[in-house]
Amino acid sequence: MASPAKAKARRAIPPVARRPSRAAALARPQLADPGRQAAIERAKLDWESTADALEALVCLLGQDGEITRTNRVVEDWSLGTVSGVLGKHAHTVVHPGCRNTRCSIAGFLKQSLGEIRRGTRGQFELQESIGARFLHMTIRPMRQRPGAESGPGDPRAVLVVTDLSALYRAQDALERLNSSLEERVRTRTQALADANRDLRNEIIRREQAEVALRGSRNELVALSEQLIGAQEGERKRIALELHDSVGQSLSAVKYTLERGMELLRQPRLGNPGAVFELAVRRIQETAESIRSISMNLRPKLLDDLGAASAVQWFCRDFAEIYPTLTIVTELSVNDGQVPGRLATVVYRSVQELLNNVAKHSSARHVVVKLSMDDNVLLLEVRDDGVGLEKATPESRRHGSGLRNLRERAQMTGGQFNIVQAPGRGTLAQLSWRLAEADRTVPQAARAAE
Ligand SMILES: Nc1ncnc2c1ncn2[C@@H]1O[C@H](COP(=O)(O)OP(=O)(O)OP(=O)(O)O)[C@@H](O)[C@H]1O
Ligand SMILES: [Mg+2]
Ligand SMILES: [Zn+2]
């Protein structure tokens, strides 16, 4: 229910011009003219039936606030009987049992009647709750015929009390309904906004996934192109090497043998023995270069034994070719520990890194390390040469060795890293975190690599 203070208002509203009411006429007993008397009786009856038909409590008030007439509503509201309340002060009837000396209703009645006595025209209003009822009260002065004097018992004012409780209850219910509706709308809006946001995030996520997918697809295409290119390059290189070293050597051997045979036929031209010795040396050299070509292709050891042995063998061979370079191998894993799928990449990486050391670093020492720690296979090649800083962007762009290493590492699930070694030189590292499957690959499967 609305609080008592809620609509408490007291304001003067300018009087509305209207016909003098019958009540005003009836409030003034006149001379005992029979015709007039009958008219007054009629007016009384009219007033009663009109006032009783109203839903508001209507009281005519004397100058001190006493009730001089009222309608049935006083009984409907259980404030007393129509005749019982006559002469009682309006406050005691409207506000039964009130002892409050500062009662706002009492104050309102007193002030309104006072102003009416002083001749203020207008209307006085108050809204107040009494018990469970929320009441609206209006006091208006009685209209008087012009020039007529009012007697001491004459009604001076009309008090109309309207019960707004039902209205307020309805309003209250409406407000509650409104706010619950608003609440539901808010909740629903929030839920929709949440769903919307989730949806948008999902879209973004999918778009990102799509971009990533497209990226990796492109990468794959580029990679396979590169692989094909690398294969082609390898073939050309082999052809060139066969032509340049083996072909030329064989031509030289053939020529030398022919010359030896010529000397056998004509001994006076020279000593055939020395020429045959030269031929043998050339054949040895040719065998050597064939060996080195095949070593660069794929050593038989890799298939027969495994990566660790092949690396060991390659390093020894490499040291023979480059006698100024001291190669230290620290291989703490055995062949069985290097998964078959990684054997080739490990071997190729050692090849490329050692070739780089020989070609670019001017190093005196190089350490090749292959180890396993916590299921991570680590290959390290460290030299004490000039270091990577000497490498120009140009030389890096042109070379494909390091790029290939990085790609091979990525394709096999590993990581490649090359840095300036602490102190001096270069440190290259490749590492692979081994999966469960890597540890259970049988030896024989490697031959298929
Ligand atoms: N150990 C190293 N010490 C110093 N510089 C190096 C070393 N390894 C590589 N570099 C530098 O990095 C560059 C790139 O190496 P990368 O192996 O990619 O190409 P490359 O050896 O020049 O050519 P490719 O390997 O294709 O025959 C080299 O040209 C060189 O300047
Ligand atoms: Mg290289
Ligand atoms: Zn009171």
Side-chain angles (χ1 to χ4, degrees):
M1 194 60 229
S3 76
K6 186 174 181 179
K8 196 187 271 189
R10 195 179 300 178
R11 55 200 146 91
I13 295 173
V16 187
R18 68 172 83 137
R19 285 183 293 120
S21 71
R22 286 177 194 226
L26 129 176
R28 310 192 38 69
Q30 294 291 321
L31 303 169
D33 168 350
R36 199 176 189 90
Q37 204 56 48
I40 289 171
E41 282 310 314
R42 258 200 321 278
K44 268 188 180 174
L45 275 174
D46 276 358
W47 189 88
E48 261 162 29
S49 40
T50 309
D52 285 347
L54 294 174
E55 280 186 22
L57 174 66
V58 181
C59 302
L60 301 189
L61 304 181
Q63 62 176 353
D64 296 319
E66 73 280 13
I67 296 175
T68 61
R69 192 173 271 271
T70 185
N71 64 352
R72 287 258 167 77
V73 176
V74 82
E75 292 175 6
D76 297 344
W77 290 4
S78 311
L79 299 174
T81 60
V82 173
S83 53
V85 299
L86 293 182
K88 286 193 181 165
H89 194 275
H91 174 238
T92 49
V93 174
V94 173
H95 203 187
C98 173
R99 307 237 183 289
N100 185 357
T101 49
R102 298 167 64 167
C103 171
S104 56
I105 297 169
F108 166 67
L109 286 166
K110 192 170 170 205
Q111 194 186 344
S112 316
L113 289 168
E115 295 211 18
I116 288 170
R117 252 200 315 279
R118 282 193 293 281
T120 313
R121 313 292 299 168
Q123 173 169 305
F124 308 89
E125 292 185 36
L126 176 73
Q127 302 209 84
E128 193 68 69
S129 63
I130 298 174
R133 286 210 167 90
F134 195 84
L135 303 177
H136 178 95
M137 298 177 215
T138 315
I139 294 184
R140 263 186 239 114
M142 291 292 285
R143 301 221 161 221
Q144 299 207 338
R145 279 191 307 146
E149 282 288 311
S150 56
D154 287 348
R156 298 298 172 91
V158 186
L159 167 67
V160 179
V161 185
T162 318
D163 187 353
L164 297 180
S165 312
L167 189 70
Y168 271 90
R169 265 198 299 278
Q171 227 166 36
D172 225 45
L174 200 67
E175 260 168 40
R176 267 202 302 276
L177 196 70
N178 258 348
S179 69
S180 100
L181 255 172
E182 269 166 26
E183 180 57 38
R184 274 160 62 189
V185 167
R186 243 197 317 276
T187 315
R188 190 85 191 100
T189 308
Q190 185 60 47
L192 278 174
D194 287 351
N196 205 18
R197 200 196 41 234
D198 288 353
L199 212 65
R200 226 170 310 142
N201 286 346
E202 179 65 15
I203 289 172
I204 291 170
R205 209 179 53 73
R206 284 193 185 191
E207 277 171 357
Q208 283 169 347
E210 219 167 277
V211 169
L213 199 69
R214 223 174 301 134
S216 63
R217 210 176 286 149
N218 291 345
E219 244 168 56
L220 212 67
V221 169
L223 218 63
S224 63
E225 275 168 9
Q226 248 165 25
L227 262 172
I228 292 167
Q231 247 171 15
E232 266 322 294
E234 187 81 341
R235 286 205 184 110
K236 274 194 203 129
R237 196 179 63 75
I238 296 163
L240 205 71
E241 235 166 292
L242 284 175
H243 169 269
D244 288 355
S245 65
V246 182
Q248 278 165 17
S249 300
L250 286 180
S251 306
V253 169
K254 179 173 168 268
Y255 170 79
T256 313
L257 288 177
E258 280 167 356
R259 224 165 63 90
M261 267 145 72
E262 184 64 30
L263 289 183
L264 281 180
R265 273 195 296 276
Q266 301 180 53
R268 60 184 172 80
L269 290 179
N271 176 15
V275 176
F276 284 126
E277 265 170 31
L278 182 66
V280 169
R281 231 179 15 253
R282 288 222 164 127
I283 289 172
Q284 268 171 349
E285 278 167 19
T286 310
E288 195 57 41
S289 48
I290 289 174
R291 191 161 76 97
S292 110
I293 291 168
S294 79
M295 180 181 88
N296 274 324
L297 289 177
R298 185 185 173 93
K300 213 168 162 314
L301 268 181
L302 198 54
D303 293 334
D304 292 348
L305 296 176
S309 301
V311 166
Q312 182 77 63
W313 171 78
F314 178 83
C315 291
R316 209 180 306 128
D317 219 67
F318 200 80
E320 272 172 31
I321 302 170
Y322 296 94
T324 56
L325 190 66
T326 309
I327 304 181
V328 177
T329 49
E330 296 177 3
L331 310 180
S332 61
V333 294
N334 58 44
D335 291 319
Q337 283 175 288
V338 181
R341 66 179 189 88
L342 297 181
T344 311
V345 59
V346 167
Y347 182 75
R348 289 287 178 219
S349 304
V350 173
Q351 253 185 336
E352 171 59 26
L353 292 170
L354 280 184
N355 271 312
N356 274 358
V357 171
K359 271 200 290 186
H360 311 295
S361 77
S362 319
R364 298 175 61 83
H365 299 94
V366 58
V367 180
V368 177
K369 201 165 146 184
L370 188 62
S371 63
M372 177 90 77
D373 188 20
D374 203 14
N375 280 324
V376 174
L377 179 67
L378 176 68
L379 169 66
E380 263 187 16
V381 175
R382 176 201 298 254
D383 67 58
D384 60 353
V386 295
L388 280 175
E389 269 159 17
K390 291 271 156 48
T392 58
E394 188 69 2
S395 73
R396 284 189 175 222
R397 236 193 334 274
H398 281 304
S400 56
L402 294 184
R403 203 171 46 236
N404 286 347
L405 274 189
R406 190 177 304 279
E407 274 157 17
R408 272 181 210 256
Q410 277 168 359
M411 276 166 60
T412 49
Q415 284 184 336
F416 170 67
N417 203 23
I418 184 162
V419 290
Q420 194 76 18
R424 192 175 127 84
T426 305
L427 170 63
Q429 286 178 314
L430 286 113
S431 61
W432 295 265
R433 175 163 292 284
L434 301 190
E436 186 63 40
D438 284 329
R439 276 165 268 157
T440 55
V441 173
Q443 289 276 118
R446 284 213 233 99
E449 264 275 311

